[in-house]
């Protein structure tokens, strides 16, 4: 799943669910693989099965909330994301998703309050500054929108750095290989076969 082999990950996790149907994480990970692939309808069923197995598992609520959000079912998504946030109140990713959903629902002041909690954990959180910029614009506060736009630009990754590191990566193929999301390692066996 982490290397992007979504079909392989789904097959492996489905095998886990057959071996141990009462293991909620197996169902969650089937849902995650499908969600990552963009199969929102296919992700919902295994995530709901995970909730039947363990209704208090925060990650199930997070991923189900994410799938529902992407399907445009904002109120239901918000309920699941709030359950995850209640279990992990300092989780920036969950709080950012709640703030984004509130922005999408045009509840700008509520979004601002939620995103402020993200900045209490990490004052440099890029996503929070971006969504605060949008939320303040929606609320009509241009001064605060400009402030968060400046902070967003300040903390945004410098994409020109890729050009700077290019010559080094061409001279050091092993280092370049390691920075790729999906890559192979040569085997420790004689001959170095993958």
């Amino acid at each position: 799943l982490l290397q992007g082999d979504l079909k392989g990950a789904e097959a492996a996790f489905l095998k886990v669910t057959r071996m141990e149907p009462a293991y909620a994480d197996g169902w969650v990970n089937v849902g995650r693989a499908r969600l990552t692939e963009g199969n929102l309808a296919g992700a919902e069923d295994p995530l709901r099965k995970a909730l039947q197995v363990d209704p208090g598992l925060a990650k199930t609520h997070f991923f189900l909330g994410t799938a529902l959000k992407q399907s445009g079912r904002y109120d239901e998504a918000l309920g699941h994301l709030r359950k995850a946030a209640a279990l992990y109140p300092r989780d920036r990713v969950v709080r950012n998703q709640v703030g984004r959903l509130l922005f999408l629902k045009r509840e700008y002041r509520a979004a601002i309050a939620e995103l402020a909690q993200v900045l209490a954990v990490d004052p440099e959180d890029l996503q929070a500054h971006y969504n605060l910029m949008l939320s303040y614009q929606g609320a009509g506060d241009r001064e605060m929108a400009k402030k968060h736009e400046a902070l967003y630009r300040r903390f945004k990754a410098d994409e020109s750095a890729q050009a700077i590191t290019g010559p080094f990566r061409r001279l050091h193929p092993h280092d370049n290989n390691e920075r790729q999301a999906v890559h192979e390692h040569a085997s420790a066996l004689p001959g170095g076969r993958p």
Side-chain angles (χ1 to χ4, degrees):
L1 179 64
L2 296 177
Q3 289 191 347
D5 181 3
L6 303 177
K7 288 298 183 191
E10 181 181 348
F13 293 132
L14 282 169
K15 191 175 214 177
V16 168
T17 63
R18 286 190 298 274
M19 291 169 34
E20 189 65 47
Y23 180 57
D25 281 36
W27 295 110
V28 170
N29 288 325
V30 171
R32 285 180 65 192
R34 291 177 180 174
L35 182 62
T36 304
E37 185 180 39
N39 181 358
L40 303 178
E44 193 173 334
D45 185 52
L47 290 167
R48 291 198 186 277
K49 285 181 184 173
L51 281 180
Q52 290 172 355
V53 172
D54 185 353
L57 194 58
K59 66 177 136 185
T60 309
H61 288 288
F62 173 76
F63 289 114
L64 182 55
T66 301
L68 294 168
K69 175 187 154 217
Q70 291 179 16
S71 296
R73 295 157 57 192
Y74 294 161
D75 291 329
E76 191 179 355
L78 193 55
H80 286 285
L81 289 170
R82 286 194 191 277
K83 286 178 184 175
L87 292 165
Y88 291 94
R90 293 182 50 83
D91 188 305
R92 296 180 305 118
V93 175
V94 174
R95 293 268 182 214
N96 266 315
Q97 288 298 315
V98 172
R100 180 68 181 176
L101 257 174
L102 291 167
F103 166 76
L104 292 172
K105 290 180 57 154
R106 298 180 181 191
E107 296 177 18
Y108 303 122
R109 291 293 167 197
I112 290 166
E114 188 68 38
L115 294 163
Q117 293 183 53
V118 175
L119 295 183
V121 175
D122 181 3
E124 297 180 5
D125 189 283
L126 188 67
Q127 187 176 1
H129 285 296
Y130 179 77
N131 285 312
L132 278 164
M133 173 188 71
L134 297 177
S135 296
Y136 277 114
Q137 284 174 352
D141 189 338
R142 295 190 194 286
E143 184 178 322
M144 288 300 289
K146 283 187 177 224
K147 174 187 173 187
H148 286 283
E149 179 182 7
L151 288 166
Y152 169 75
R153 291 183 187 280
R154 160 81 171 77
F155 298 127
K156 190 171 185 268
D158 182 5
E159 294 169 7
S160 66
Q162 296 300 319
I164 295 169
T165 62
F168 176 86
R169 289 183 284 122
R170 280 190 291 280
L171 291 173
H172 300 89
H174 173 76
D175 292 329
N176 186 51
N177 184 53
E178 286 299 314
R179 69 180 293 280
Q180 304 302 316
V182 178
H183 61 271
E184 290 184 348
H185 291 270
S187 173
L189 298 173
R193 292 182 311 272

